Amino acid sequence: MESCIFEGDDLETTTHLGLYNNSTLAGIVSIFASCHKLFPQVGQFQLRGMAVLNEFQKKRYGERLVSEAEICIKEQNGSLIWFNAREAAVDFYKKMGYEIVGDAFDIPTIGIHFVMRKMV
């Protein structure tokens, strides 16, 4: 459970989204106002904690969560979404219009990641 708690989870600018299948929480994602040093834009939001249970993957749950996060960011006058994507998820995000910025980097115990972004 500790790996699901992030600094900033309780900020007013943080939004947590969950997608249910009947009474099962099938997927989650959080968004919060956060600037990345790679980007000069104001109105940056970070997407993080994206997860969909194995049995609900490949059923568009992830797409629905990310799309809803984009709507929430637009409603808060956000201009850019960025996140650290696992190497295995890069193609998923590319299909949704996100692009890689910079080189791959390693997060110890988790693996290779890429910074990705999309203007909203």
Side-chain angles (χ1 to χ4, degrees):
M1 190 62 149
E2 292 79 26
S3 68
C4 297
I5 300 170
F6 296 102
E7 184 179 331
D9 276 348
D10 295 330
L11 296 174
E12 285 186 28
T13 58
T14 301
T15 302
H16 303 284
L17 302 171
L19 184 58
Y20 284 84
N21 182 302
N22 296 317
S23 61
T24 301
L25 181 58
I28 57 170
V29 69
S30 296
I31 54 172
F32 73 109
S34 176
C35 293
H36 194 291
K37 62 184 176 187
L38 289 175
F39 312 120
Q41 292 86 356
V42 296
Q44 294 182 39
F45 280 77
Q46 182 181 358
L47 186 142
R48 68 177 175 189
M50 173 74 173
V52 175
L53 292 174
N54 287 337
E55 61 265 33
F56 297 105
Q57 292 182 4
K58 309 284 188 221
K59 297 182 179 180
R60 304 189 77 150
Y61 282 56
E63 289 177 34
R64 291 173 63 190
L65 284 165
V66 173
S67 293
E68 189 63 33
E70 291 173 358
I71 291 168
C72 289
I73 290 168
K74 286 178 189 175
E75 289 174 350
Q76 295 181 57
N77 297 315
S79 63
L80 179 132
I81 303 170
W82 70 271
F83 50 86
N84 298 323
R86 293 176 191 239
E87 185 174 32
V90 166
D91 287 339
F92 164 79
Y93 290 113
K94 281 184 175 181
K95 289 177 186 173
M96 296 194 70
Y98 290 86
E99 63 180 348
I100 291 174
V101 178
D103 297 322
F105 61 96
D106 185 54
I107 297 179
T109 72
I110 300 174
I112 302 298
H113 283 68
F114 294 88
V115 174
M116 297 190 80
R117 73 168 177 199
K118 180 179 182 181
M119 301 300 292
V120 292

